[in-house]
Each structure stands twice: as C-alpha cells, then as structure tokens.
Amino acid sequence: MTTSITKLSEIPKGSQFIIKGFENQDSEYAEKLLKMGFVEGTVVERTSADISDPMVFSLRHCRVALRKKEAAEILVKTDM
Amino acid sequence: MNLNKIAIAGIPNCGKTTLFNELTGSRQKVGNWPGVTVEKVEGSMTFMGKKVTVIDLPGTNNLSPDTEDQKVAEKAIREQEHDLIINVVDASNLSRNLFLTKDLLARTPHVVVFLNMVDMAEQEGMRIDKAALAEELGVPVITVISVDAQSVKNAVSVLEKAIARDPEFLHNKKEASAFLNLSANDAYSRIDAICDKVITYSTKEKESLTDRIDKVVMNKYASIPIFFLSMLVTFWLAIGVGSIFIDFFDILAGLVFVDIPSQLLGLIGAPDWLTVFLAGGVGAGIQTVATFIPVVFFMFFTIAILEDIGYMARIGVVADRVMRKIGLPGSAFIPMVVGFGCTVPAVMAARTLGSKRDRYMTIFMAPFMSCGARLPVYALFAAALYGKSSGLVVFLIYLSGLMMAIFTGFLLKNSLFKGTPSYFVMDLPLYHTPKLSNILKSAWIRLKLFVRKAGAVVVIAVCILGVLSSMGFSDGKLTFGNEDSQESVLSYAGKALSPVFEPMGVSRDNWPASVALFTGLFAKEAIVGTVNALYSSMDMAESGAAAESEEDELDISGAVVEAFTSVGEGFVGVFGTLDILGVGLVTEEEEVIAEEIELDTAVFRHISRNFTPVSAFAYLLFVLMYFPCLAVVGAARQEMGGFYTVILVSYTTLLAWAVSTLFYQIAEGHHPVYGIAAAAVLGFLYLALVLLGKRGHDMKPAKGSAD
C-alpha cells in the first residue's frame, strides 16, 4: 500500500480524496461531522470555489464550508 | 386509521417549509423561517375530507439532541404528537437526507417519504428509482415538487387515495429496529448500499451550475464586493422601496382608525376619555403598526429572496473571517443582516446557531444593527442640523451601530459569555431559481404573524402613552385632552427625568427630547412624532395661544387621494435617483422632509435651537443604542428568559448613556465630572458583566448538549 495521509485543509482545488478519519475521533466536532456523512471511505472533493478560509468541500452531493483550521482535523488519503 | 395530526420532518434546505406553506397556506400560528423553524410550527389543512393539524418540525440533520432545533424535533417525535410523519427528502443529496429518515423510521411507525427536488437531482445527473427506494425503506415514497402548488396537490391526493384503498398502506413494511442504535459509520454504510441500488447516474458528472456560480460568488477577490452589493440591494429594496408606501399606510390607517372614529364619537357625544382611549389610544396604535408594514414586508421579501436562491448561506461563509474573531461562527452574521430590517426576527433567527452561548451573544449584538424604525429619527435630526452632510452623518450612525455590535461581541466574549468558541460548519444548498409566488407567500405569512405579535404590544403601549399624555392635572383636578401640552402626566415625568440626559447634551429646557426617549421605548420611530408634537405645543405656550389644538375638518376623499399620491411621489423619489438606503430622505430640503414625514417646519427651528450638531449626534447615538423597543424585549425574553433579558436591557441602556455622554463631553467638553462618570459607567458595565459571567454557569456547554 502506498497511501499517503494528508489533512483535508491541505488538498488542492478540484482534487478528490477519501476520508480516513479524524485527529480526535471522540471530539464533538468529529461527532457532528460524522453525522453529516464525513465517515471513513467517503469521497470528498474540494470544489473550484477558491475562497481559502473557510474552504468549500463537496461530498455526498452536498457542499459544506469548513474553516481551514478545523478542516485540518480531518485526515484524508488518496486511495482505498 | 384515524389521522388527526401530521408532522413534517426533513433536513434543512430540503424544501420542507415550502411544502408546509403550500399545504397550510397562511393558516399558521408561528412565523417560520427556513432553517429557523422557531418552535414546531402548527397549521391546518384538509386531508381525507376533514381538518387536520399539520406540524412543521425544525429542519434537522438527525434526531440526536445536539442543538435546540433538534431537541424540539426529537421531543415532538418522541412524544408521538402525530399520527403520520411526512419526511421530505431532497433527491439531490439522498444519503444525507436518508440519515434523518433512518432516525425517523427507528422511532415512529407511520412515515411516508415525499421525494422532493427530483428535477434538481436530474440536473446533477442522478435518477432515483422511487419503487426501489420504497422497497428498501419499507415505507411509501411519493414524488413531489414542493415549489409547485399543483404538484403538492397531486402528491396529497395520491396519498389520500392510497390510504383510502388500503388502510395498511402506511404501515412500515420493515422492522423499525433495523436502523436503531447504529453508529454514524454503520448507518452511512447501509445508506450507501441503498443509494447504490436506487440511484442511476445518467450523465458523467461535470461542473454543475452551483459550482460555476460559487466560483464567482466565492471567489477570493469578488466574494466581498458581491457580499456588500447584495447588502446594498437588500437595503435599497427594504428601506427605499418599502418607505414609498409608508405614507400610504400612515394616511389611510390614520383616516380609518383615528380620524373617522373620533369624528363619529364626537357626533354621538361620547365622553372625552372614551375618544381618547379609542381614537388616540387603540386607533393611533393601529396606525403606528400600519406604518411599519411596508418596510417590514419588503425586508422579509428580500430576505426570503436571499434564502430562496441559496445565497444566505454564502453570506455566512464570507462573514466568518470577521465573526470568528469574536468567537462566533459566520452563520451568526445572518441574524444580524435580518436586524437591519427589524430586530425582532433577528432575535428569533439566532435559533439557527448551535450553542446557547452563540445564540445569546448574537441576540446581544443584534439590537445594535440600526433597524428600519430608527431611520426616521436620524433623518429628522440630520435634516435640521447637518445640511449637505446629512447622508454622511446617517451613515456614521449606522457604522457606529456596527462598531458597537463588534465591541459588544469582544466585551461579552471576555466577560459574560466566556466559553469555548464554536466551530463553523455550513451547508451550502444548491442555487435555485427564485419563484416569486413562493417568496411572496413566505414574506406575507411572516408579515401577518409579525403584525399580529408586534401589533398587540404597540397598540397596548400607544394606548398607555395616549392616556398618559392626555391625562393632566389642572387646579388639582384630573383632566383629559392635554395631549402634547406641558400639563400632561407624561410631560411632568419627562421634565423630572431630564437631568439624567443632561450629561449627554440634552439641556433641561429641552425636556421634549427626554419625553421622546420614553415614547421611543414602545417603538423608536415614535420619537419623531413626540418631538414634533411637544415642540409645537411649546410654540403655542410661548405665543400665548390657547393650548387646545384646532379640530381639522375631516376630509376623507382628500386623505385617500393624498395616500395614493404619496405612493406615486415615492416611486419617483426612489427610482428616479436609485436612492439606496433612502438617503434622499436625509439630503433633501427641510421643507421636503417636513412634508415627507408630516412635520411642522417649526420642529427644525426647535431642533437647531435646542441642539448643537454635537449634542444631536450624541442624542442619535443614544437613540441607536438604548433600550431595544418593547417588541424586541418580548422576543428576547422568549429566547433567553428573563435573567439575560434584564442584562440585555440594562447593558444597552447604560452603554448608550455612557457612550453618548463620553462623545458629547469629549467633543464639546464642558464637564470633566460627567466624562469621568461615563467612563466609570463603562468600567462598571465591564465589571458587572465579568461577575455575571462567573455566575452564568449555565452557559458552559453541558456534555453533549452544545454544538
């Protein structure tokens, strides 16, 4: 396996990654996002909207804005 | 099966409220804002030949009791206050919607899914197999386009027929427990499996319309100018266009509720006190509310547009960079935008925010956004004193309000509302083409409920005020008919309290200005009327003329003609100059202003005699900040309870006094003592808030209850 893990806040515009998990799986923040579908294995894309903080992501056919610092809580990988 | 109560549930932005408005028309009891379903909202509709209650639950992503909205929804469902739940599901993002559906299925036996926005899903390249979805979920699925009245009718009749044909139609065909107590991970893997079976992707995903719009609207450089532009258009529509109709409503309501009744009462020889009460109290109260209607309606209208097209959520994103500095999420800016129209819905709109701390803090900041009712006061003083720079002065007042809101945010963050700053997660809905009929309907419903609620307060307040200003003592006897004279109880009270306002530049001789601040408690635009009336009565007293005002001849047709002409003139005024913010109102000639807000030109002479430009600015700062009107206090109490409402009222009033005094004393610096007193009040405020913050332990998020 040659998967590399990065933070969601680091991914470039228009790129697609797969959610791995959270820095802190038990945080309130993680709990809320999990319920919104940020579960392991979900494909997440940074949309072409180039506002840099908050950043706009798309997953499960929804667009969600997150702060850069808070998006750094979410870990993503390149493939399954 | 007996159906008496139907509840509507769905995630935010799924079109649930549109469906609810369509089903119930305006038969609603509480106002409803997308994403801000304040409480569970009730209405009624005819279903299967009889009247049933329809409950609109707050839009929630799930039923865990994380936020106020979700608590309300969860409680309503847990307590089984319904016989059927209509679950509105947005087809364009099925998996997020089904996450709520599984919570509903696990908790309640009768669910029917209304699959909404199928057209949007197709635009996004998805086709959903309705029958397969019904099979997977075990409940009926009916497609609907909630923005289309005919489609909603059809969906309801499909449901009626199916129930009539088979009473077991609604029974859940699957075991409810299938979805019970799943972790988010497990729930989504099941949902993903369902989605795989029911969705077929027709076209290859390309850049959607929403992404293309977001590319511009959420551009690094363009986002902020676009945001300001949208705010300007909002103001222009609400205040500029709305104010065209103010005179129309004012004149007609004055005719119907004040002039005609008092004339009639005079004819039948009714006693003075009755005329005072009915015409001067109730009638004048209704007239005051009526003048609100146009500005409030247009504010609701423009806000409905911003919501309907999906831009409101983007405002929250753009504002986040500033809001996070005071420890609030960008979404807290949305209630503040609403506050430029009217503070009452702004206070209610704070409901959307996750944590109690965020909500309370937003409610404390919202009254500093200058509402439509305060503009006439600024306009009057600006016209009397500032001439060509009137527009600038009014702009400075608005700006001061914004700055005081931010100041309040910083202050509260470090005192009353310490605690963990919340994070920011904002769903961005797809852009929709706005549909005029829906926007009008939603603005109309909100207006009706607003008028009903605020109307009651204002009518009562004006009644009390009318009686107080009419009641007076001469020769030790209680008399009536002392309106706006120096003999009324109200005038005595104003005179007695005027020393309080002396440090901010309102001299004791200028007692009408103090009295006006009291009438302003009821509704801030009442200040204009009071100042006008009291100054005119001073004139009469000076010239030795009899204090009784001459009866105007009742001229019904004249008044009606005047009402309609006012609309025409207003249109020319606003559209002729593209007058944003109604600035024209503050830059025109004195006579024009006087005519527009129906004042005697004498009032300008009095204002310029009694105020200096500096003291008038201090007075306007006070008007901007002090005691939010009674309707706001009512709304704040409903949202925060009495304890925090008392703090809010004391804080705004003391801050207003201290800031106005400090400004006046520094700018015209007469009394170092007053300046020091003002600084001391500010210090006291800070200290009190810190101490209260220590006491306010209920602000700390209880485990699992904060967002």
Side-chain angles (χ1 to χ4, degrees), chain B residues 272-351:
Chain B
D272 273 356
W273 61 266
L274 190 66
T275 314
V276 165
F277 179 73
L278 286 180
V282 180
I286 296 173
Q287 186 186 7
T288 306
V289 176
T291 55
F292 262 139
I293 289 175
V295 172
V296 171
F297 176 80
F298 277 98
M299 197 68 207
F300 287 168
F301 179 78
T302 46
I303 290 169
I305 295 177
L306 289 178
E307 283 162 347
D308 205 53
I309 61 176
Y311 185 64
M312 197 59 122
R314 273 84 182 172
I315 289 182
V317 176
V318 177
D320 184 66
R321 294 193 85 139
V322 177
M323 297 301 283
R324 77 173 65 160
K325 296 206 169 71
I326 44 183
L328 284 177
S331 31
F333 193 72
I334 294 168
M336 293 170 67
V337 173
V338 177
F340 280 120
C342 174
T343 317
V344 174
V347 166
M348 301 194 312
R351 276 253 167 172

Side-chain angles (χ1 to χ4, degrees), chain B residues 322-328 357-358 360-362 364-365 405-422 651 686 689-690 693 699:
Chain B
V322 177
M323 297 301 283
R324 77 173 65 160
K325 296 206 169 71
I326 44 183
L328 284 177
R357 173 189 170 275
D358 292 358
Y360 286 17
M361 212 152 136
T362 308
F364 268 73
M365 290 164 71
I406 294 171
F407 168 79
T408 301
F410 276 115
L411 182 66
L412 294 177
K413 177 189 165 194
N414 294 310
S415 58
L416 188 60
F417 299 138
K418 278 187 183 160
T420 35
S422 43
Y651 169 72
Y686 176 68
L689 288 171
V690 169
M699 250 332 108

